[in-house]
Amino acid sequence: MNPLLSRPQVTAILAISLDGRLARAQTPGERIASRYDFQHLEQQVAQVDAVLFGATTLRMGGTAMRLQSPHLIAEREHQGRSPQPLQIVCSASGELDPNLPFFRQPIPRALLTTEKGASRWQGSTAFDHCWCAGVEEIDWPQAFRHLQGAGIQTLAVLGGGQLLASLLHIGAVDELWLTLCPLLLGSAAPSLYPAGLEFAGTLTLLNVLPVGNEVYLHYRLHYYA
Ligand SMILES: NC(=O)c1ccc[n+]([C@@H]2O[C@H](COP(=O)([O-])OP(=O)(O)OC[C@H]3O[C@@H](n4cnc5c(N)ncnc54)[C@H](OP(=O)(O)O)[C@@H]3O)[C@@H](O)[C@H]2O)c1
């Protein structure tokens, strides 16, 4: 990706099993990490202007990661920010069930999609923003222009693996938080590393924190020029 392209500061935050899986094969929408990890994730989400996640993650889980801690919400309001970050779902197809609980959550919502996907939501008020970037595939430079136009300077990417892989491929993830969970979920479970994942760069470990049987890893990513 053109290093001069302006985009938000992007931090990805995910929990994985020891064999790099994101969820159980039998319950693909269920969280695999501890209650502590939920608090860690909430802390990260509280710091950003917007959250981005893939359509499969939403289809499986049904909801967005909404801030629940009154303390974190009050802190944002004290800083003059909106109580909740904007929740952006990325879907090329736009095929999302409007009956998902996500659409009833008290949060601001956006859809990042293609011309094809946007046509499904024409005239709908389900999303506060419907951003069209690309005809059939997401054109990321155009997508980032939409985000910047909405004043989004910091973005948390919460997965899943496909979305993260597209952003790694174009060199658009600055920091990565990985929670290593004490599980081996097997090859049928959804993976953090989808086929074709390409990452041309290196990672610097910023911090490592063991909590119970989990390990919290914080990296900064550097891309080859
Ligand atoms: N452990 C964790 O921290 C964690 C976090 C998140 C998710 N998960 C789990 O991970 C699984 C889902 O991960 P996943 O990798 O299968 O799917 P995903 O990345 O959540 O979603 C993939 C879908 O998102 C859209 N998408 C992603 N990248 C795109 C791009 N570059 N351009 C256009 N559209 C794009 C497409 O939607 P359309 O098909 O609509 O075009 C694609 O089919 C679920 O089981 C979920 O529970 C776990």
Side-chain angles (χ1 to χ4, degrees):
M1 167 174 259
N2 176 356
L4 297 176
L5 177 79
S6 56
R7 60 169 175 81
Q9 172 77 18
V10 176
T11 303
I13 309 130
L14 294 107
I16 55 164
S17 63
L18 296 181
D19 54 343
R21 304 287 151 177
L22 288 165
R24 292 174 203 279
Q26 306 83 348
T27 50
E30 226 173 69
R31 290 176 47 76
I32 55 168
S34 66
R35 178 127 200 92
Y36 181 87
D37 178 74
F38 182 85
Q39 289 168 6
H40 156 74
L41 183 58
E42 198 180 16
Q43 287 274 358
Q44 298 301 317
V45 166
Q47 291 173 32
V48 294
D49 297 325
V51 172
L52 179 68
F53 45 92
T56 307
T57 294
L58 179 59
R59 289 182 193 115
M60 295 293 160
T63 55
M65 171 69 200
R66 178 176 72 87
L67 294 178
Q68 292 176 25
S69 153
H71 163 70
L72 291 174
I73 294 171
E75 207 167 80
R76 282 178 68 94
E77 285 176 326
H78 182 69
Q79 294 163 354
R81 309 173 79 182
S82 61
Q84 295 283 336
L86 179 65
Q87 299 281 347
I88 310 169
V89 55
C90 173
S91 168
S93 71
E95 280 179 43
L96 298 165
D97 179 355
N99 294 313
L100 286 173
F102 169 67
F103 292 103
R104 298 190 295 278
Q105 286 183 286
I107 48 170
R109 277 174 285 271
L111 174 64
L112 176 58
T113 189
T114 58
E115 281 178 23
K116 195 173 153 205
S119 63
R120 291 178 178 274
W121 295 89
Q122 228 167 20
S124 161
T125 55
F127 289 100
D128 300 282
H129 306 273
C130 180
W131 289 318
C132 182
V135 181
E136 292 200 352
E137 289 177 12
I138 298 286
D139 171 341
W140 286 105
Q142 203 180 336
F144 291 137
R145 281 196 292 277
H146 283 300
L147 267 57
Q148 293 217 306
I152 295 164
Q153 294 177 357
T154 49
L155 182 70
V157 173
L158 305 194
Q162 271 190 49
L163 175 65
L164 181 67
S166 351
L167 293 171
L168 287 173
H169 180 64
I170 57 166
V173 180
D174 301 293
E175 289 190 19
L176 173 64
W177 276 101
L178 271 188
T179 302
L180 271 185
C181 304
L183 296 164
L184 289 166
L185 297 177
S187 56
S191 175
L192 175 64
Y193 311 111
L197 170 70
E198 283 176 46
F199 169 65
T202 56
L203 294 96
T204 303
L205 185 63
L206 298 178
N207 199 5
V208 53
L209 178 70
V211 180
N213 292 316
E214 293 175 342
V215 182
Y216 290 75
L217 298 164
H218 186 195
Y219 290 97
R220 188 184 309 286
L221 284 74
H222 313 273
Y223 299 91
Y224 301 134

